[in-house]
PDB file of all heavy atoms in Angstrom:
ATOM      1  N   PHE C   6       0.837  -1.188   0.059  1.00  0.00           N
ATOM      2  CA  PHE C   6       0.040  -0.017   0.046  1.00  0.00           C
ATOM      3  C   PHE C   6       0.890   1.279   0.024  1.00  0.00           C
ATOM      4  O   PHE C   6       0.531   2.225  -0.730  1.00  0.00           O
ATOM      5  CB  PHE C   6      -0.898   0.073   1.170  1.00  0.00           C
ATOM      6  CG  PHE C   6      -2.253  -0.573   0.982  1.00  0.00           C
ATOM      7  CD1 PHE C   6      -2.734  -1.718   1.593  1.00  0.00           C
ATOM      8  CD2 PHE C   6      -3.165   0.055   0.000  1.00  0.00           C
ATOM      9  CE1 PHE C   6      -3.924  -2.248   1.353  1.00  0.00           C
ATOM     10  CE2 PHE C   6      -4.330  -0.475  -0.302  1.00  0.00           C
ATOM     11  CZ  PHE C   6      -4.764  -1.674   0.426  1.00  0.00           C
ATOM     12  N   ALA C   7       1.949   1.219   0.872  1.00  0.00           N
ATOM     13  CA  ALA C   7       2.807   2.356   0.840  1.00  0.00           C
ATOM     14  C   ALA C   7       3.375   2.697  -0.503  1.00  0.00           C
ATOM     15  O   ALA C   7       3.431   3.904  -0.918  1.00  0.00           O
ATOM     16  CB  ALA C   7       3.922   2.171   1.860  1.00  0.00           C
ATOM     17  N   ARG C   8       3.784   1.642  -1.240  1.00  0.00           N
ATOM     18  CA  ARG C   8       4.459   1.823  -2.575  1.00  0.00           C
ATOM     19  C   ARG C   8       3.407   2.400  -3.531  1.00  0.00           C
ATOM     20  O   ARG C   8       3.675   3.260  -4.290  1.00  0.00           O
ATOM     21  CB  ARG C   8       4.963   0.514  -3.098  1.00  0.00           C
ATOM     22  CG  ARG C   8       6.230   0.079  -2.411  1.00  0.00           C
ATOM     23  CD  ARG C   8       6.995  -1.024  -3.225  1.00  0.00           C
ATOM     24  NE  ARG C   8       6.235  -2.165  -3.568  1.00  0.00           N
ATOM     25  CZ  ARG C   8       6.161  -3.191  -2.829  1.00  0.00           C
ATOM     26  NH1 ARG C   8       6.867  -3.341  -1.642  1.00  0.00           N
ATOM     27  NH2 ARG C   8       5.399  -4.315  -3.154  1.00  0.00           N
ATOM     28  N   LEU C   9       2.155   1.846  -3.453  1.00  0.00           N
ATOM     29  CA  LEU C   9       1.127   2.306  -4.439  1.00  0.00           C
ATOM     30  C   LEU C   9       0.691   3.763  -4.142  1.00  0.00           C
ATOM     31  O   LEU C   9       0.399   4.541  -4.974  1.00  0.00           O
ATOM     32  CB  LEU C   9      -0.158   1.413  -4.350  1.00  0.00           C
ATOM     33  CG  LEU C   9      -0.036   0.017  -5.001  1.00  0.00           C
ATOM     34  CD1 LEU C   9      -1.112  -0.952  -4.620  1.00  0.00           C
ATOM     35  CD2 LEU C   9      -0.051   0.269  -6.546  1.00  0.00           C
ATOM     36  N   LEU C  10       0.682   4.095  -2.877  1.00  0.00           N
ATOM     37  CA  LEU C  10       0.185   5.414  -2.527  1.00  0.00           C
ATOM     38  C   LEU C  10       1.337   6.485  -2.494  1.00  0.00           C
ATOM     39  O   LEU C  10       0.940   7.680  -2.278  1.00  0.00           O
ATOM     40  CB  LEU C  10      -0.382   5.404  -1.078  1.00  0.00           C
ATOM     41  CG  LEU C  10      -1.801   4.492  -0.950  1.00  0.00           C
ATOM     42  CD1 LEU C  10      -2.125   4.341   0.474  1.00  0.00           C
ATOM     43  CD2 LEU C  10      -2.817   5.099  -1.805  1.00  0.00           C
ATOM     44  N   GLY C  11       2.502   6.036  -2.595  1.00  0.00           N
ATOM     45  CA  GLY C  11       3.621   6.896  -2.492  1.00  0.00           C
ATOM     46  C   GLY C  11       3.769   7.597  -1.136  1.00  0.00           C
ATOM     47  O   GLY C  11       4.089   8.734  -1.026  1.00  0.00           O
ATOM     48  N   ALA C  12       3.457   6.826  -0.125  1.00  0.00           N
ATOM     49  CA  ALA C  12       3.511   7.322   1.243  1.00  0.00           C
ATOM     50  C   ALA C  12       4.366   6.460   2.220  1.00  0.00           C
ATOM     51  O   ALA C  12       4.820   5.341   1.705  1.00  0.00           O
ATOM     52  CB  ALA C  12       2.112   7.267   1.873  1.00  0.00           C
ATOM     53  N   GLN C  13       4.741   6.951   3.327  1.00  0.00           N
ATOM     54  CA  GLN C  13       5.596   6.188   4.184  1.00  0.00           C
ATOM     55  C   GLN C  13       4.722   5.105   4.841  1.00  0.00           C
ATOM     56  O   GLN C  13       3.603   5.143   5.024  1.00  0.00           O
ATOM     57  CB  GLN C  13       6.096   7.099   5.332  1.00  0.00           C
ATOM     58  CG  GLN C  13       6.989   8.277   4.875  1.00  0.00           C
ATOM     59  CD  GLN C  13       8.379   7.707   4.443  1.00  0.00           C
ATOM     60  OE1 GLN C  13       8.832   6.749   5.032  1.00  0.00           O
ATOM     61  NE2 GLN C  13       8.970   8.428   3.470  1.00  0.00           N
ATOM     62  N   ARG C  14       5.384   3.994   5.041  1.00  0.00           N
ATOM     63  CA  ARG C  14       4.755   2.821   5.653  1.00  0.00           C
ATOM     64  C   ARG C  14       4.135   3.166   6.956  1.00  0.00           C
ATOM     65  O   ARG C  14       2.982   2.739   7.225  1.00  0.00           O
ATOM     66  CB  ARG C  14       5.675   1.726   5.827  1.00  0.00           C
ATOM     67  CG  ARG C  14       5.002   0.353   6.310  1.00  0.00           C
ATOM     68  CD  ARG C  14       6.071  -0.718   6.677  1.00  0.00           C
ATOM     69  NE  ARG C  14       5.440  -1.953   7.073  1.00  0.00           N
ATOM     70  CZ  ARG C  14       4.911  -2.195   8.249  1.00  0.00           C
ATOM     71  NH1 ARG C  14       5.098  -1.282   9.206  1.00  0.00           N
ATOM     72  NH2 ARG C  14       4.350  -3.308   8.568  1.00  0.00           N
ATOM     73  N   SER C  15       4.807   3.982   7.801  1.00  0.00           N
ATOM     74  CA  SER C  15       4.222   4.329   9.112  1.00  0.00           C
ATOM     75  C   SER C  15       2.896   5.169   8.851  1.00  0.00           C
ATOM     76  O   SER C  15       2.065   5.039   9.708  1.00  0.00           O
ATOM     77  CB  SER C  15       5.190   5.084   9.930  1.00  0.00           C
ATOM     78  OG  SER C  15       5.593   6.382   9.181  1.00  0.00           O
ATOM     79  N   THR C  16       2.807   6.010   7.908  1.00  0.00           N
ATOM     80  CA  THR C  16       1.626   6.826   7.612  1.00  0.00           C
ATOM     81  C   THR C  16       0.538   5.860   7.271  1.00  0.00           C
ATOM     82  O   THR C  16      -0.629   6.023   7.645  1.00  0.00           O
ATOM     83  CB  THR C  16       1.957   7.795   6.503  1.00  0.00           C
ATOM     84  OG1 THR C  16       3.071   8.656   6.904  1.00  0.00           O
ATOM     85  CG2 THR C  16       0.741   8.673   6.357  1.00  0.00           C
ATOM     86  N   VAL C  17       0.774   4.881   6.320  1.00  0.00           N
ATOM     87  CA  VAL C  17      -0.270   3.947   5.952  1.00  0.00           C
ATOM     88  C   VAL C  17      -0.649   3.093   7.114  1.00  0.00           C
ATOM     89  O   VAL C  17      -1.841   2.780   7.369  1.00  0.00           O
ATOM     90  CB  VAL C  17       0.295   2.995   4.716  1.00  0.00           C
ATOM     91  CG1 VAL C  17      -0.674   1.947   4.485  1.00  0.00           C
ATOM     92  CG2 VAL C  17       0.569   3.967   3.510  1.00  0.00           C
ATOM     93  N   SER C  18       0.234   2.699   7.943  1.00  0.00           N
ATOM     94  CA  SER C  18      -0.027   1.836   9.157  1.00  0.00           C
ATOM     95  C   SER C  18      -1.044   2.600  10.081  1.00  0.00           C
ATOM     96  O   SER C  18      -1.991   2.082  10.633  1.00  0.00           O
ATOM     97  CB  SER C  18       1.174   1.483   9.849  1.00  0.00           C
ATOM     98  OG  SER C  18       1.969   0.667   9.127  1.00  0.00           O
ATOM     99  N   GLU C  19      -0.833   3.973  10.211  1.00  0.00           N
ATOM    100  CA  GLU C  19      -1.707   4.697  11.027  1.00  0.00           C
ATOM    101  C   GLU C  19      -3.077   4.850  10.501  1.00  0.00           C
ATOM    102  O   GLU C  19      -4.077   4.747  11.212  1.00  0.00           O
ATOM    103  CB  GLU C  19      -1.122   6.118  11.271  1.00  0.00           C
ATOM    104  CG  GLU C  19      -2.041   7.086  11.946  1.00  0.00           C
ATOM    105  CD  GLU C  19      -2.390   6.669  13.318  1.00  0.00           C
ATOM    106  OE1 GLU C  19      -1.636   5.834  13.979  1.00  0.00           O
ATOM    107  OE2 GLU C  19      -3.436   6.928  13.881  1.00  0.00           O
ATOM    108  N   ALA C  20      -3.093   4.925   9.131  1.00  0.00           N
ATOM    109  CA  ALA C  20      -4.408   5.076   8.447  1.00  0.00           C
ATOM    110  C   ALA C  20      -5.185   3.679   8.620  1.00  0.00           C
ATOM    111  O   ALA C  20      -6.406   3.655   8.855  1.00  0.00           O
ATOM    112  CB  ALA C  20      -4.192   5.319   6.945  1.00  0.00           C
ATOM    113  N   ALA C  21      -4.544   2.532   8.456  1.00  0.00           N
ATOM    114  CA  ALA C  21      -5.113   1.267   8.609  1.00  0.00           C
ATOM    115  C   ALA C  21      -5.619   1.071  10.043  1.00  0.00           C
ATOM    116  O   ALA C  21      -6.672   0.541  10.243  1.00  0.00           O
ATOM    117  CB  ALA C  21      -4.091   0.219   8.237  1.00  0.00           C
ATOM    118  N   HIS C  22      -4.757   1.597  11.004  1.00  0.00           N
ATOM    119  CA  HIS C  22      -5.156   1.513  12.428  1.00  0.00           C
ATOM    120  C   HIS C  22      -6.497   2.250  12.662  1.00  0.00           C
ATOM    121  O   HIS C  22      -7.429   1.845  13.413  1.00  0.00           O
ATOM    122  CB  HIS C  22      -4.079   2.063  13.316  1.00  0.00           C
ATOM    123  CG  HIS C  22      -4.436   1.908  14.735  1.00  0.00           C
ATOM    124  ND1 HIS C  22      -4.433   0.816  15.501  1.00  0.00           N
ATOM    125  CD2 HIS C  22      -4.797   2.971  15.680  1.00  0.00           C
ATOM    126  CE1 HIS C  22      -4.871   1.046  16.730  1.00  0.00           C
ATOM    127  NE2 HIS C  22      -4.959   2.346  16.861  1.00  0.00           N
ATOM    128  N   GLN C  23      -6.671   3.485  12.016  1.00  0.00           N
ATOM    129  CA  GLN C  23      -7.885   4.220  12.165  1.00  0.00           C
ATOM    130  C   GLN C  23      -9.072   3.448  11.625  1.00  0.00           C
ATOM    131  O   GLN C  23     -10.089   3.540  12.181  1.00  0.00           O
ATOM    132  CB  GLN C  23      -7.638   5.576  11.555  1.00  0.00           C
ATOM    133  CG  GLN C  23      -6.714   6.485  12.223  1.00  0.00           C
ATOM    134  CD  GLN C  23      -6.622   7.900  11.474  1.00  0.00           C
ATOM    135  OE1 GLN C  23      -7.619   8.427  11.140  1.00  0.00           O
ATOM    136  NE2 GLN C  23      -5.425   8.362  11.376  1.00  0.00           N
ATOM    137  N   LEU C  24      -8.904   2.878  10.464  1.00  0.00           N
ATOM    138  CA  LEU C  24     -10.016   2.214   9.888  1.00  0.00           C
ATOM    139  C   LEU C  24     -10.414   0.935  10.661  1.00  0.00           C
ATOM    140  O   LEU C  24     -11.536   0.614  10.807  1.00  0.00           O
ATOM    141  CB  LEU C  24      -9.646   1.700   8.429  1.00  0.00           C
ATOM    142  CG  LEU C  24      -9.296   2.890   7.466  1.00  0.00           C
ATOM    143  CD1 LEU C  24      -8.828   2.325   6.080  1.00  0.00           C
ATOM    144  CD2 LEU C  24     -10.547   3.651   7.219  1.00  0.00           C
ATOM    145  N   LYS C  25      -9.391   0.307  11.325  1.00  0.00           N
ATOM    146  CA  LYS C  25      -9.637  -0.852  12.142  1.00  0.00           C
ATOM    147  C   LYS C  25     -10.419  -0.457  13.407  1.00  0.00           C
ATOM    148  O   LYS C  25     -11.299  -1.083  13.813  1.00  0.00           O
ATOM    149  CB  LYS C  25      -8.318  -1.575  12.478  1.00  0.00           C
ATOM    150  CG  LYS C  25      -8.515  -2.787  13.339  1.00  0.00           C
ATOM    151  CD  LYS C  25      -7.234  -3.521  13.627  1.00  0.00           C
ATOM    152  CE  LYS C  25      -7.407  -4.806  14.463  1.00  0.00           C
ATOM    153  NZ  LYS C  25      -6.204  -5.516  14.688  1.00  0.00           N
ATOM    154  N   ALA C  26      -9.928   0.792  13.970  1.00  0.00           N
ATOM    155  CA  ALA C  26     -10.626   1.241  15.169  1.00  0.00           C
ATOM    156  C   ALA C  26     -12.053   1.561  14.895  1.00  0.00           C
ATOM    157  O   ALA C  26     -12.840   1.513  15.911  1.00  0.00           O
ATOM    158  CB  ALA C  26      -9.885   2.514  15.640  1.00  0.00           C
ATOM    159  N   ARG C  27     -12.420   1.904  13.647  1.00  0.00           N
ATOM    160  CA  ARG C  27     -13.825   2.270  13.312  1.00  0.00           C
ATOM    161  C   ARG C  27     -14.610   0.980  12.946  1.00  0.00           C
ATOM    162  O   ARG C  27     -15.776   1.103  12.510  1.00  0.00           O
ATOM    163  CB  ARG C  27     -13.888   3.257  12.163  1.00  0.00           C
ATOM    164  CG  ARG C  27     -13.220   4.614  12.468  1.00  0.00           C
ATOM    165  CD  ARG C  27     -13.339   5.596  11.279  1.00  0.00           C
ATOM    166  NE  ARG C  27     -12.575   6.654  11.348  1.00  0.00           N
ATOM    167  CZ  ARG C  27     -12.473   7.637  10.499  1.00  0.00           C
ATOM    168  NH1 ARG C  27     -13.368   7.694   9.505  1.00  0.00           N
ATOM    169  NH2 ARG C  27     -11.674   8.762  10.582  1.00  0.00           N
ATOM    170  N   ALA C  28     -13.883  -0.170  13.074  1.00  0.00           N
ATOM    171  CA  ALA C  28     -14.571  -1.527  12.696  1.00  0.00           C
ATOM    172  C   ALA C  28     -14.865  -1.603  11.219  1.00  0.00           C
ATOM    173  O   ALA C  28     -15.806  -2.299  10.861  1.00  0.00           O
ATOM    174  CB  ALA C  28     -15.751  -1.786  13.605  1.00  0.00           C
ATOM    175  N   LEU C  29     -14.095  -0.783  10.418  1.00  0.00           N
ATOM    176  CA  LEU C  29     -14.321  -0.862   8.957  1.00  0.00           C
ATOM    177  C   LEU C  29     -13.546  -1.989   8.357  1.00  0.00           C
ATOM    178  O   LEU C  29     -13.982  -2.741   7.307  1.00  0.00           O
ATOM    179  CB  LEU C  29     -14.020   0.438   8.300  1.00  0.00           C
ATOM    180  CG  LEU C  29     -14.759   1.635   8.854  1.00  0.00           C
ATOM    181  CD1 LEU C  29     -14.311   2.833   8.062  1.00  0.00           C
ATOM    182  CD2 LEU C  29     -16.243   1.429   8.665  1.00  0.00           C
ATOM    183  N   ILE C  30     -12.365  -2.304   8.898  1.00  0.00           N
ATOM    184  CA  ILE C  30     -11.531  -3.351   8.385  1.00  0.00           C
ATOM    185  C   ILE C  30     -10.865  -4.074   9.641  1.00  0.00           C
ATOM    186  O   ILE C  30     -10.938  -3.710  10.702  1.00  0.00           O
ATOM    187  CB  ILE C  30     -10.331  -2.862   7.451  1.00  0.00           C
ATOM    188  CG1 ILE C  30      -9.420  -2.111   8.361  1.00  0.00           C
ATOM    189  CG2 ILE C  30     -10.883  -2.045   6.319  1.00  0.00           C
ATOM    190  CD1 ILE C  30      -8.111  -1.706   7.637  1.00  0.00           C
ATOM    191  N   ASP C  31     -10.341  -5.306   9.263  1.00  0.00           N
ATOM    192  CA  ASP C  31      -9.432  -6.007  10.191  1.00  0.00           C
ATOM    193  C   ASP C  31      -8.289  -6.500   9.393  1.00  0.00           C
ATOM    194  O   ASP C  31      -8.408  -6.635   8.196  1.00  0.00           O
ATOM    195  CB  ASP C  31     -10.205  -7.150  10.838  1.00  0.00           C
ATOM    196  CG  ASP C  31      -9.540  -7.552  12.125  1.00  0.00           C
ATOM    197  OD1 ASP C  31      -8.558  -7.051  12.515  1.00  0.00           O
ATOM    198  OD2 ASP C  31     -10.065  -8.600  12.726  1.00  0.00           O
ATOM    199  N   TYR C  32      -7.135  -6.664  10.042  1.00  0.00           N
ATOM    200  CA  TYR C  32      -5.989  -7.129   9.269  1.00  0.00           C
ATOM    201  C   TYR C  32      -5.004  -7.883  10.116  1.00  0.00           C
ATOM    202  O   TYR C  32      -4.952  -7.747  11.354  1.00  0.00           O
ATOM    203  CB  TYR C  32      -5.312  -5.887   8.690  1.00  0.00           C
ATOM    204  CG  TYR C  32      -4.835  -4.866   9.586  1.00  0.00           C
ATOM    205  CD1 TYR C  32      -3.624  -4.956  10.237  1.00  0.00           C
ATOM    206  CD2 TYR C  32      -5.558  -3.732   9.823  1.00  0.00           C
ATOM    207  CE1 TYR C  32      -3.151  -3.978  11.208  1.00  0.00           C
ATOM    208  CE2 TYR C  32      -5.241  -2.719  10.747  1.00  0.00           C
ATOM    209  CZ  TYR C  32      -3.990  -2.877  11.475  1.00  0.00           C
ATOM    210  OH  TYR C  32      -3.483  -1.966  12.349  1.00  0.00           O
ATOM    211  N   ARG C  33      -4.351  -8.707   9.401  1.00  0.00           N
ATOM    212  CA  ARG C  33      -3.158  -9.451   9.952  1.00  0.00           C
ATOM    213  C   ARG C  33      -2.075  -9.443   8.889  1.00  0.00           C
ATOM    214  O   ARG C  33      -2.462  -8.942   7.712  1.00  0.00           O
ATOM    215  CB  ARG C  33      -3.473 -10.922  10.306  1.00  0.00           C
ATOM    216  CG  ARG C  33      -3.942 -11.760   9.197  1.00  0.00           C
ATOM    217  CD  ARG C  33      -4.361 -13.121   9.767  1.00  0.00           C
ATOM    218  NE  ARG C  33      -5.514 -13.058  10.589  1.00  0.00           N
ATOM    219  CZ  ARG C  33      -5.973 -14.151  11.247  1.00  0.00           C
ATOM    220  NH1 ARG C  33      -5.423 -15.361  11.100  1.00  0.00           N
ATOM    221  NH2 ARG C  33      -7.017 -13.974  12.048  1.00  0.00           N
ATOM    222  N   ARG C  34      -0.920  -9.772   9.122  1.00  0.00           N
ATOM    223  CA  ARG C  34       0.132  -9.646   8.140  1.00  0.00           C
ATOM    224  C   ARG C  34      -0.261 -10.338   6.771  1.00  0.00           C
ATOM    225  O   ARG C  34      -0.475 -11.465   6.738  1.00  0.00           O
ATOM    226  CB  ARG C  34       1.431 -10.262   8.697  1.00  0.00           C
ATOM    227  CG  ARG C  34       2.566 -10.107   7.720  1.00  0.00           C
ATOM    228  CD  ARG C  34       3.956 -10.436   8.420  1.00  0.00           C
ATOM    229  NE  ARG C  34       5.056 -10.162   7.473  1.00  0.00           N
ATOM    230  CZ  ARG C  34       5.655  -8.963   7.146  1.00  0.00           C
ATOM    231  NH1 ARG C  34       5.060  -7.947   7.813  1.00  0.00           N
ATOM    232  NH2 ARG C  34       6.566  -8.869   6.417  1.00  0.00           N
ATOM    233  N   GLY C  35      -0.205  -9.430   5.737  1.00  0.00           N
ATOM    234  CA  GLY C  35      -0.441  -9.934   4.451  1.00  0.00           C
ATOM    235  C   GLY C  35      -1.881 -10.117   4.049  1.00  0.00           C
ATOM    236  O   GLY C  35      -2.237 -10.490   2.883  1.00  0.00           O
ATOM    237  N   GLN C  36      -2.802  -9.842   4.963  1.00  0.00           N
ATOM    238  CA  GLN C  36      -4.148 -10.059   4.630  1.00  0.00           C
ATOM    239  C   GLN C  36      -5.119  -9.026   5.351  1.00  0.00           C
ATOM    240  O   GLN C  36      -4.898  -8.628   6.522  1.00  0.00           O
ATOM    241  CB  GLN C  36      -4.674 -11.437   5.110  1.00  0.00           C
ATOM    242  CG  GLN C  36      -6.117 -11.799   4.529  1.00  0.00           C
ATOM    243  CD  GLN C  36      -6.441 -13.266   4.774  1.00  0.00           C
ATOM    244  OE1 GLN C  36      -7.107 -13.552   5.873  1.00  0.00           O
ATOM    245  NE2 GLN C  36      -6.046 -14.193   3.933  1.00  0.00           N
ATOM    246  N   ILE C  37      -6.003  -8.399   4.577  1.00  0.00           N
ATOM    247  CA  ILE C  37      -6.943  -7.399   5.105  1.00  0.00           C
ATOM    248  C   ILE C  37      -8.380  -7.925   4.893  1.00  0.00           C
ATOM    249  O   ILE C  37      -8.678  -8.421   3.766  1.00  0.00           O
ATOM    250  CB  ILE C  37      -6.717  -6.116   4.350  1.00  0.00           C
ATOM    251  CG1 ILE C  37      -5.297  -5.592   4.634  1.00  0.00           C
ATOM    252  CG2 ILE C  37      -7.760  -5.029   4.910  1.00  0.00           C
ATOM    253  CD1 ILE C  37      -4.904  -4.413   3.725  1.00  0.00           C
ATOM    254  N   LEU C  38      -9.252  -7.785   5.826  1.00  0.00           N
ATOM    255  CA  LEU C  38     -10.702  -8.170   5.736  1.00  0.00           C
ATOM    256  C   LEU C  38     -11.543  -6.954   5.886  1.00  0.00           C
ATOM    257  O   LEU C  38     -11.366  -6.098   6.721  1.00  0.00           O
ATOM    258  CB  LEU C  38     -10.977  -9.098   6.958  1.00  0.00           C
ATOM    259  CG  LEU C  38     -12.536  -9.429   7.043  1.00  0.00           C
ATOM    260  CD1 LEU C  38     -12.958 -10.209   5.831  1.00  0.00           C
ATOM    261  CD2 LEU C  38     -12.736 -10.226   8.284  1.00  0.00           C
ATOM    262  N   ILE C  39     -12.265  -6.638   4.862  1.00  0.00           N
ATOM    263  CA  ILE C  39     -13.228  -5.609   4.834  1.00  0.00           C
ATOM    264  C   ILE C  39     -14.529  -5.938   5.592  1.00  0.00           C
ATOM    265  O   ILE C  39     -15.207  -6.865   5.213  1.00  0.00           O
ATOM    266  CB  ILE C  39     -13.575  -5.154   3.364  1.00  0.00           C
ATOM    267  CG1 ILE C  39     -12.232  -4.491   2.686  1.00  0.00           C
ATOM    268  CG2 ILE C  39     -14.645  -4.023   3.370  1.00  0.00           C
ATOM    269  CD1 ILE C  39     -12.547  -4.096   1.322  1.00  0.00           C
ATOM    270  N   ARG C  40     -14.730  -5.268   6.647  1.00  0.00           N
ATOM    271  CA  ARG C  40     -15.907  -5.535   7.478  1.00  0.00           C
ATOM    272  C   ARG C  40     -17.128  -4.745   7.216  1.00  0.00           C
ATOM    273  O   ARG C  40     -18.270  -5.235   7.424  1.00  0.00           O
ATOM    274  CB  ARG C  40     -15.489  -5.441   9.007  1.00  0.00           C
ATOM    275  CG  ARG C  40     -14.360  -6.308   9.431  1.00  0.00           C
ATOM    276  CD  ARG C  40     -13.839  -5.972  10.874  1.00  0.00           C
ATOM    277  NE  ARG C  40     -14.929  -6.187  11.802  1.00  0.00           N
ATOM    278  CZ  ARG C  40     -15.081  -7.221  12.530  1.00  0.00           C
ATOM    279  NH1 ARG C  40     -14.271  -8.229  12.381  1.00  0.00           N
ATOM    280  NH2 ARG C  40     -16.098  -7.287  13.454  1.00  0.00           N
ATOM    281  N   ASP C  41     -16.951  -3.574   6.752  1.00  0.00           N
ATOM    282  CA  ASP C  41     -18.115  -2.699   6.573  1.00  0.00           C
ATOM    283  C   ASP C  41     -17.807  -1.866   5.245  1.00  0.00           C
ATOM    284  O   ASP C  41     -17.123  -0.801   5.228  1.00  0.00           O
ATOM    285  CB  ASP C  41     -18.178  -1.607   7.757  1.00  0.00           C
ATOM    286  CG  ASP C  41     -19.307  -0.661   7.618  1.00  0.00           C
ATOM    287  OD1 ASP C  41     -20.006  -0.647   6.542  1.00  0.00           O
ATOM    288  OD2 ASP C  41     -19.604   0.034   8.571  1.00  0.00           O
ATOM    289  N   ARG C  42     -18.176  -2.445   4.093  1.00  0.00           N
ATOM    290  CA  ARG C  42     -17.936  -1.740   2.847  1.00  0.00           C
ATOM    291  C   ARG C  42     -18.548  -0.378   2.754  1.00  0.00           C
ATOM    292  O   ARG C  42     -17.923   0.715   2.324  1.00  0.00           O
ATOM    293  CB  ARG C  42     -18.462  -2.648   1.717  1.00  0.00           C
ATOM    294  CG  ARG C  42     -18.283  -2.109   0.351  1.00  0.00           C
ATOM    295  CD  ARG C  42     -18.981  -2.788  -0.794  1.00  0.00           C
ATOM    296  NE  ARG C  42     -18.738  -2.093  -2.026  1.00  0.00           N
ATOM    297  CZ  ARG C  42     -17.824  -2.403  -2.930  1.00  0.00           C
ATOM    298  NH1 ARG C  42     -17.015  -3.405  -2.753  1.00  0.00           N
ATOM    299  NH2 ARG C  42     -17.639  -1.671  -4.033  1.00  0.00           N
ATOM    300  N   SER C  43     -19.828  -0.209   3.209  1.00  0.00           N
ATOM    301  CA  SER C  43     -20.454   1.045   3.070  1.00  0.00           C
ATOM    302  C   SER C  43     -19.726   2.103   3.949  1.00  0.00           C
ATOM    303  O   SER C  43     -19.634   3.248   3.483  1.00  0.00           O
ATOM    304  CB  SER C  43     -21.966   0.960   3.437  1.00  0.00           C
ATOM    305  OG  SER C  43     -22.141   0.469   4.735  1.00  0.00           O
ATOM    306  N   GLY C  44     -19.290   1.687   5.136  1.00  0.00           N
ATOM    307  CA  GLY C  44     -18.561   2.590   5.912  1.00  0.00           C
ATOM    308  C   GLY C  44     -17.285   2.955   5.243  1.00  0.00           C
ATOM    309  O   GLY C  44     -16.782   4.191   5.340  1.00  0.00           O
TER     310      GLY C  44
END
């Protein structure tokens, strides 16, 4: 994701953490689960 977005990995990690905190996604290494598509 960081390579595709042209962003630092830490910045992408923080964004993913925010999405997980909102229960929109869940993730483990190498795999992301979309929990709430509309959200």
Side-chain angles (χ1 to χ4, degrees):
F6 267 118
R8 290 199 301 269
L9 281 166
L10 295 172
Q13 296 292 326
R14 184 186 182 281
S15 58
T16 304
V17 173
S18 296
E19 174 58 28
H22 179 74
Q23 291 182 44
L24 296 174
K25 183 177 182 180
R27 300 184 195 183
L29 302 181
I30 67 169
D31 199 359
Y32 58 83
R33 62 183 65 183
R34 183 166 180 81
Q36 189 173 97
I37 300 171
L38 173 65
I39 295 179
R40 299 171 61 93
D41 182 352
R42 181 188 174 98
S43 61

